[in-house]
Each structure stands twice: as structure tokens, then as C-alpha cells.
Amino acid sequence: MGSPSGGGLRTTDPAPADAPHTAPRTGGTRTIPGPRGRRAHRLLPRPGAAPPPAGPPPRRGRSPALTSVTATTALTLAGCGVLILHLVQRQTGTLGLVVGLALAMVPVPFVLGGLAWLNLTARVPLRHTVFCLGWGAFAATTVAILANNWTASHLANHQGPLGELLGAGMATPMIEEVAKATALFVLLLPLGQRLRCHGRRTGRPCAPLLHRPPAPRRTRPYGHRAAGPHAREKLRLRPYLRPLPYLRPAPPSGDGAHRRSRPRTLAAGVVLGGMTACGFAFTENALYLGRAFTNDQRQRLDSIGLGTRPSIRDFDGTVQTFVLRALLSPFAHPLFTALTGIGLAVALTTGRRWLARLAVPAGLLLATALHGAWNAAADLGTDGFLVVYAALMVPCFGALVGFAAWTRSRAARPAGRRGRRPVEPRTGTPREAV
């Protein structure tokens, strides 16, 4: 069989007897080496095989299950967005909705800028941050506004003034914090992995959603325990949770067997919680600002009429709400939900069982308590609010800023101090410096 091109390719099959003998080329020419010959043989069709289809080779697409999960999530968030837009428009009106959205957009770049700076340490993917932002702006606010209305009416009808106080100080913060924290738990659901079907390639059926067959237990001799600092089992992520790369524990240190939470994992909890709370605060600010603008406009029309031009004094309620929510406390909701995110990161990465069990409830309770204290400060008047703001919110915000700076410095410290040890020239193993 002749060569496909060039005439210099040698085949491994013996040449027939009647084939003419071809002398090797000389005079500045060379024969084609072996690898090219094997590549050329692979390009030749097999005898009796069908010719390859014309056109470019088919590309390997994404998993159908992963695509369906993404599409379902996007449609769910879009539906919640339409619903919350309708609910806010019913309370504010069309003009109030536009004004509220415009004013609520003012603090968003500053909050997102701070979270993006912290994300340099956490390295959370963009799709996860966008999901948390959309969940907080659409899904969490929809659940919160419906649950808060039902809870407030139920407590007011059965408890009276005490029910209103309990609803504002306890029920509302708990509902909102749970609604925001749900985004972090949704990210850990193994929907994209458990629903992938590899039947086309391996012939095995699809894995069930949340079922894993129990592993066989190995019998150990009585009284046998391993000794040493690394004797305990390595803490792995929960078997029914999705293993995220930014929520993994650090390797055990040399002085102890416990794994610890890395600065990256703690920063990732703050970023995820802060993104969710940023979207939630944006929609909530649009509701309160639009409602204040509508009330001011209605009072102005009732007192002055349409004959005079409006002034800034006619919208005192809108200005006060804007200063309170957009200027004085743009990081209030991110601060609350960041505590839940830190608790979740610690629970997933720590090596101590008691800490893993108490981290998430403790973080959620701290977020709820801080949120309740913030809501109660609004009913104490201007002086009481300023006292609570200076004694509680400012130190907590300073602690959050210090924590973010600490995680950034700890994450950058090994990269700056990491030195390469000399390597053996032949074995390639590092050797200790003398």
C-alpha cells in the first residue's frame, strides 16, 4: 500500500515480492521518523469500515442535568423577581417604585466593591455570587414579605401590642435571616452532581438524588487505637453536600491532628452571605424609599395642592429614610448575614465535632439578635437610635472590616514568604538547607 503523501513513509507490513525495490533517499534528504508513520496509519480508514462523517468533530456538551438545574434556577429567580416587583409596586405606586429603585441603587456599588475586594481572598466563582445576589434580591425578599405580613397580622390579632413588638423584634429578623441563609444551603445541594447520568459512556444508571448506599463497616480489634498526632480520621465534607473548592479545610498542621478553617473559607462565608444580603437590602430599600416618597407626595398634595413647585422640605420622610438606610447603614444586612456565613464555613471545615454542630446555629442566632437589636433601635427615637448605632453597629462594622483585612493579610503572607528550597538535580526531591 502506498503512502498517503510524500512517498517517504515506510510501513511495517512486508512488501510483496513483485513490488519494485525503492532505494532510500540520499543527498540532503531524510526519511520520515516513526511517530509520523504511526500517525499516518491512524488516519487511514480500516478495511471494510464506513468512511468518517464529513464536517467538524462533535463537541462534548454539558450535562443535561446541570443545564436543567441552571435553567430551573434562573426561571425560579425570574418568577420571584416578577412577583416581588408586583408586590412593591402595589405598596409604592409606579412613580414611587422608580424613585425607590433609583435611590436604592446608590449604596450598591460601595457594598459590592468591598465584597469584591474580599473575594480576592475567597475566590468564589462569579456564578455563585450572582446566584446569591439574585436570591437575596428576589427569592428571599418574596418569602420575607409574605411571611412577615402573615406573622404580623397573626400576632397582632392574638397578642395585641405585645404581638407587634414580638413580630418586629423577633419574628421578622428570624424570617429574614433564614430566608437569606437559604441561599448558602442551596449552593451545597448536590443537584448538579447527583443528577448527571453517565449511562451513554459507562452503561451505569443515574445516581439517586440524596441516597448513598452505606459503606461496609470494617471490624477493628478491641482496644486497638492508632497513636500519633494524626491518628484521628480526616474530616471530610458531609457525604450529602456538594464539595465546593472554596469551602475545604486546611491540611492538618504538624502540632495537632485537627483540621482548621483557612482564611479563604472564612472569607468565602462572608462573601456569600454579604452578596445575598446586598440583594436583599437593595429590594428592601427600594420598598421603604418608594413608600416614603409616595407618602410625602400624598401629604404635599393634601396640604399645598398642585399649584406650587415641590421643594426638598416637602420630602422629609424620603430624605430621612435615605440617610438612615443608604448612608448610615449600607452594610447592616451584609453584617448580619456574614455571621451566618462564617458559621457555615466553620461547620464545614473544622475538625472538632462539637464546633461543627454549634457553628451554624450560633451564627444564625447572633445574626438574628443583632438584626433584632437594629430593628428595635428604630423605635427608640433619634437619641436612642444614635446610642445603639454608636454602641453596637459601629464596633461590629469595625470588627468586620478588621476581619476582612486579617483574611487578606493571612492569605497574602504565605505567597510573599514562600521560599523555594533547593532541589536535588537528579532525584527532584527537596533537600534541607544546611
Side-chain angles (χ1 to χ4, degrees):
M1 181 173 60
S3 62
S5 61
L9 179 63
R10 296 183 179 180
T11 61
T12 57
D13 297 335
D18 54 351
H21 177 70
T22 56
R25 294 187 179 182
T26 57
T29 62
R30 64 181 180 88
T31 58
I32 300 178
R36 291 193 179 183
R38 290 194 296 268
R39 188 186 308 173
H41 275 290
R42 282 202 306 269
L43 295 178
L44 295 178
R46 295 181 179 179
R59 296 183 179 180
R60 183 180 178 182
R62 300 181 64 183
S63 173
L66 187 60
T67 305
S68 62
V69 169
T70 305
T72 304
T73 304
L75 291 178
T76 302
L77 293 181
C80 293
V82 174
L83 181 57
I84 192 61
L85 192 66
H86 174 68
L87 294 177
V88 173
Q89 194 271 339
R90 286 181 56 184
Q91 300 187 29
T92 62
T94 304
L95 182 59
L97 175 62
V98 175
V99 174
L101 291 176
L103 294 178
M105 189 64 69
V106 174
V108 172
F110 301 97
V111 179
L112 292 182
L115 295 175
W117 172 76
L118 185 59
N119 197 25
L120 297 177
T121 301
R123 300 192 299 275
V124 178
L126 180 62
R127 61 183 183 275
H128 292 176
T129 57
V130 171
F131 167 76
C132 290
L133 190 65
W135 181 277
F138 304 138
T141 49
T142 302
V143 174
I145 193 172
L146 296 177
N148 287 337
N149 291 338
W150 181 86
T151 306
S153 61
H154 180 77
L155 292 177
N157 294 334
H158 291 78
Q159 301 293 334
L162 180 61
E164 296 180 359
L165 181 61
L166 292 177
M170 296 182 60
T172 298
M174 178 61 70
I175 291 172
E176 293 182 356
E177 293 304 322
V178 170
K180 289 184 291 184
T182 308
L184 281 67
F185 295 100
V186 170
L187 285 177
L188 295 174
L189 292 179
L191 298 179
Q193 294 181 353
R194 300 301 178 105
L195 292 181
R196 288 195 183 100
C197 183
H198 303 280
R200 295 182 179 180
R201 292 178 292 176
T202 62
R204 294 179 297 177
C206 297
L209 176 61
L210 289 178
H211 174 71
R212 173 171 291 184
R217 299 184 60 181
R218 295 178 297 178
T219 59
R220 296 182 178 179
Y222 179 77
H224 174 71
R225 290 185 179 180
H230 306 285
R232 296 187 179 183
E233 293 182 353
K234 297 180 179 179
L235 179 69
R236 299 180 180 178
L237 294 177
R238 305 304 185 261
Y240 300 117
L241 298 181
R242 181 183 179 187
L244 298 176
Y246 48 84
L247 289 179
R248 292 183 180 274
S253 57
D255 54 350
H258 288 297
R259 287 175 177 261
R260 63 187 186 277
S261 301
R262 297 180 296 175
R264 181 189 179 187
T265 60
L266 301 177
V270 175
V271 169
L272 293 177
M275 283 292 178
T276 309
C278 179
F280 186 91
F282 168 75
T283 306
E284 190 181 44
N285 290 343
L287 172 62
Y288 284 107
L289 289 170
R291 186 188 299 171
F293 177 81
T294 302
N295 294 336
D296 291 343
Q297 190 179 26
R298 186 180 297 113
Q299 293 178 3
R300 175 183 172 275
L301 292 177
D302 294 340
S303 59
I304 303 176
L306 296 174
T308 59
R309 294 182 179 181
S311 61
I312 195 66
R313 296 181 179 179
D314 299 332
F315 299 94
D316 292 338
T318 306
V319 174
Q320 183 179 0
T321 305
F322 178 78
V323 172
L324 174 64
R325 303 189 67 89
L327 299 183
L328 292 181
S329 60
F331 289 91
H333 276 285
L335 174 61
F336 305 151
T337 318
L339 299 177
T340 308
I342 293 176
L344 181 63
V346 171
L348 291 176
T349 55
T350 185
R352 295 173 172 84
R353 182 175 299 179
W354 64 271
L355 185 57
R357 292 178 178 179
L358 297 178
V360 176
L364 185 60
L365 288 179
L366 286 177
T368 304
L370 193 60
H371 195 169
W374 175 252
N375 290 349
D379 300 331
L380 299 178
T382 304
D383 297 337
F385 170 77
L386 293 178
V387 169
V388 174
Y389 182 81
L392 185 63
M393 296 302 297
V394 173
C396 291
F397 178 72
L400 181 62
V401 173
F403 171 79
W406 173 77
T407 55
R408 285 289 298 151
S409 62
R410 285 293 301 270
R413 185 184 304 172
R417 295 185 178 182
R418 184 183 299 118
R420 294 185 177 180
R421 293 182 298 176
V423 179
E424 296 289 345
R426 293 185 180 181
T427 60
T429 58
R431 63 185 180 185
E432 299 293 338
V434 180

